[in-house]
Coordinates of all heavy atoms in Angstrom, one line a residue:
V111 N 129.8 101.6 67.9 CA 129.3 100.2 67.8 C 129.2 99.6 69.3 O 130.2 99.8 70.1 CB 130.3 99.3 67.0 CG1 129.8 97.8 67.1 CG2 130.3 99.8 65.6
I112 N 128.1 99.0 69.6 CA 127.8 98.6 70.9 C 127.5 97.1 71.0 O 126.7 96.6 70.1 CB 126.6 99.4 71.5 CG1 126.8 100.9 71.5 CG2 126.2 98.9 72.9 CD1 125.6 101.7 71.7
A113 N 128.0 96.4 71.9 CA 127.7 95.0 72.2 C 127.0 94.9 73.5 O 127.4 95.5 74.5 CB 128.9 94.1 72.2
V114 N 125.8 94.3 73.6 CA 125.1 94.2 74.8 C 124.6 92.8 75.1 O 124.1 92.1 74.2 CB 123.9 95.2 74.8 CG1 123.0 94.9 73.6 CG2 123.1 95.2 76.1
S115 N 124.7 92.4 76.3 CA 124.2 91.1 76.8 C 122.7 91.3 77.1 O 122.3 92.3 77.6 CB 124.9 90.7 78.1 OG 124.3 89.5 78.6
E116 N 121.9 90.2 76.7 CA 120.5 90.3 76.9 C 120.1 90.5 78.3 O 119.0 91.0 78.6 CB 119.9 89.0 76.3 CG 120.3 87.8 77.1 CD 119.7 86.5 76.6 OE1 118.9 86.5 75.7 OE2 120.1 85.4 77.1
G117 N 121.0 90.1 79.3 CA 120.6 90.1 80.7 C 121.0 91.4 81.4 O 121.1 91.4 82.6
V118 N 121.3 92.5 80.7 CA 121.7 93.7 81.3 C 120.7 94.2 82.3 O 119.5 94.2 81.9 CB 122.0 94.8 80.3 CG1 122.1 96.2 80.9 CG2 123.4 94.5 79.6
K119 N 121.1 94.6 83.5 CA 120.1 95.0 84.5 C 120.3 96.4 85.0 O 121.4 97.0 84.8 CB 120.4 94.1 85.7 CG 120.2 92.6 85.4 CD 120.7 91.7 86.6 CE 120.5 90.3 86.3 NZ 121.4 89.8 85.2
D120 N 119.3 97.0 85.5 CA 119.4 98.3 86.1 C 120.0 98.2 87.5 O 120.3 97.2 88.0 CB 118.0 99.1 86.1 CG 117.0 98.4 87.0 OD1 117.3 97.6 87.9 OD2 115.8 98.7 86.7
K121 N 120.1 99.4 88.2 CA 120.7 99.4 89.5 C 119.9 98.6 90.6 O 120.4 98.2 91.6 CB 120.8 100.8 90.0 CG 119.5 101.6 90.2 CD 119.7 103.0 90.6 CE 118.4 103.7 90.8 NZ 118.6 105.1 91.3
N122 N 118.6 98.3 90.3 CA 117.8 97.5 91.2 C 117.8 96.0 90.8 O 117.1 95.2 91.4 CB 116.4 98.0 91.1 CG 116.2 99.4 91.6 OD1 116.8 99.8 92.6 ND2 115.5 100.2 90.9
G123 N 118.7 95.6 89.8 CA 118.8 94.2 89.5 C 117.7 93.7 88.5 O 117.6 92.5 88.4
V124 N 116.9 94.6 87.9 CA 115.8 94.2 87.0 C 116.4 94.3 85.6 O 116.9 95.3 85.2 CB 114.6 95.2 87.2 CG1 113.5 94.8 86.2 CG2 114.1 95.1 88.6
E125 N 116.2 93.2 84.9 CA 116.6 93.1 83.5 C 115.8 94.2 82.6 O 114.6 94.3 82.8 CB 116.4 91.8 82.8 CG 117.3 90.7 83.4 CD 116.6 89.8 84.4 OE1 115.6 90.3 85.0 OE2 117.2 88.7 84.7
L126 N 116.6 94.9 81.8 CA 115.9 95.9 81.0 C 114.9 95.3 80.0 O 113.9 96.0 79.7 CB 117.0 96.7 80.2 CG 117.6 97.9 80.8 CD1 118.3 97.6 82.1 CD2 118.5 98.6 79.8
S127 N 115.1 94.0 79.6 CA 114.3 93.4 78.6 C 113.4 92.3 79.1 O 112.8 91.6 78.3 CB 115.1 92.9 77.4 OG 115.9 91.8 77.9
A128 N 113.3 92.1 80.4 CA 112.6 91.0 81.0 C 111.1 91.1 80.7 O 110.5 92.1 80.9 CB 112.9 90.9 82.5
S129 N 110.5 90.0 80.3 CA 109.1 89.9 80.2 C 108.5 89.3 81.5 O 109.0 88.3 82.0 CB 108.7 88.9 79.0 OG 107.4 88.6 79.0
Q130 N 107.6 89.9 82.0 CA 107.0 89.5 83.3 C 106.0 88.3 83.1 O 105.6 87.7 84.0 CB 106.3 90.7 84.0 CG 107.2 91.8 84.3 CD 108.4 91.4 85.2 OE1 108.2 90.7 86.2 NE2 109.5 91.9 84.9
T131 N 105.6 88.1 81.8 CA 104.6 87.0 81.6 C 105.2 85.8 81.0 O 104.6 84.7 81.2 CB 103.5 87.6 80.6 OG1 104.2 88.0 79.4 CG2 102.8 88.8 81.3
N132 N 106.3 85.9 80.3 CA 106.9 84.7 79.6 C 108.0 84.1 80.5 O 109.0 84.7 80.6 CB 107.4 85.0 78.2 CG 106.3 85.5 77.3 OD1 105.2 85.0 77.4 ND2 106.6 86.4 76.4
V133 N 107.7 82.9 80.9 CA 108.7 82.2 81.8 C 108.9 80.8 81.2 O 108.0 80.1 80.8 CB 108.2 82.0 83.2 CG1 109.1 81.2 84.1 CG2 107.9 83.4 83.8
D134 N 110.2 80.4 81.1 CA 110.5 79.1 80.5 C 110.3 77.9 81.5 O 110.0 78.2 82.7 CB 111.8 79.0 79.8 CG 113.0 79.2 80.8 OD1 112.8 78.9 82.0 OD2 114.1 79.6 80.3
D135 N 110.6 76.7 81.1 CA 110.4 75.6 82.0 C 111.4 75.5 83.1 O 111.3 74.7 84.0 CB 110.5 74.3 81.1 CG 109.2 74.1 80.3 OD1 108.2 74.5 80.7 OD2 109.4 73.5 79.2
F136 N 112.5 76.3 83.0 CA 113.5 76.4 84.1 C 113.1 77.4 85.1 O 113.8 77.7 86.1 CB 114.9 76.7 83.5 CG 115.4 75.5 82.7 CD1 115.8 75.7 81.4 CD2 115.5 74.3 83.2 CE1 116.4 74.7 80.6 CE2 116.0 73.2 82.5 CZ 116.5 73.4 81.2
G137 N 112.0 78.2 84.8 CA 111.6 79.2 85.7 C 112.3 80.6 85.5 O 112.2 81.5 86.2
H138 N 112.9 80.7 84.3 CA 113.6 81.9 83.9 C 112.7 82.8 83.1 O 112.0 82.3 82.2 CB 114.9 81.6 83.1 CG 115.8 80.7 83.8 ND1 116.6 79.8 83.1 CD2 116.2 80.5 85.1 CE1 117.4 79.1 83.9 NE2 117.1 79.5 85.2
Q139 N 112.7 84.1 83.4 CA 112.0 85.0 82.5 C 112.6 85.0 81.1 O 113.8 85.0 81.0 CB 112.0 86.4 83.1 CG 111.2 86.6 84.4 CD 111.2 88.0 85.0 OE1 112.1 88.7 84.7 NE2 110.2 88.3 85.7
Q140 N 111.7 85.1 80.1 CA 112.2 85.1 78.8 C 112.8 86.5 78.5 O 112.1 87.5 78.6 CB 111.1 84.8 77.8 CG 111.5 84.7 76.3 CD 110.4 84.2 75.4 OE1 109.6 83.4 75.8 NE2 110.4 84.8 74.2
L141 N 114.0 86.5 78.0 CA 114.7 87.7 77.7 C 114.8 87.9 76.2 O 114.3 87.1 75.4 CB 116.1 87.7 78.3 CG 116.2 87.6 79.8 CD1 117.7 87.7 80.2 CD2 115.4 88.6 80.5
G142 N 115.3 89.0 75.8 CA 115.5 89.3 74.4 C 114.8 90.6 74.1 O 113.6 90.9 74.5
G143 N 115.5 91.5 73.4 CA 114.8 92.8 73.0 C 115.5 94.0 73.7 O 114.9 95.1 73.7
V144 N 116.6 93.8 74.3 CA 117.3 95.0 75.0 C 117.9 95.9 73.9 O 118.0 97.1 74.2 CB 118.4 94.5 76.0 CG1 119.6 93.9 75.3 CG2 118.8 95.6 76.9
A145 N 118.3 95.4 72.8 CA 118.9 96.2 71.7 C 117.9 97.3 71.3 O 118.3 98.5 71.2 CB 119.3 95.4 70.5
P146 N 116.6 97.0 70.9 CA 115.7 98.1 70.6 C 115.4 99.1 71.7 O 115.2 100.3 71.5 CB 114.5 97.4 70.1 CG 114.6 96.0 70.7 CD 116.0 95.7 70.7
I147 N 115.5 98.6 72.9 CA 115.3 99.5 74.1 C 116.5 100.5 74.1 O 116.2 101.7 74.3 CB 115.3 98.7 75.4 CG1 114.0 97.9 75.4 CG2 115.3 99.6 76.6 CD1 113.9 96.9 76.6
L148 N 117.7 100.0 74.0 CA 118.8 100.9 73.9 C 118.8 101.9 72.7 O 119.1 103.1 72.9 CB 120.1 100.1 73.9 CG 120.5 99.3 75.1 CD1 121.7 98.5 74.8 CD2 120.6 100.1 76.3
A149 N 118.3 101.4 71.6 CA 118.2 102.2 70.4 C 117.2 103.3 70.6 O 117.4 104.5 70.2 CB 117.8 101.3 69.2
G150 N 116.1 103.0 71.3 CA 115.1 104.0 71.6 C 115.7 105.1 72.5 O 115.4 106.3 72.3

């Protein structure tokens, strides 16, 4: 059983699930979707 934070990053500081196109009004990249990446 694994718990994962949506903001998990690689060694270069890039979020595994970051969308490069979706940015919210605070200027933050929209996250979400790291679980299926890990599952894959």
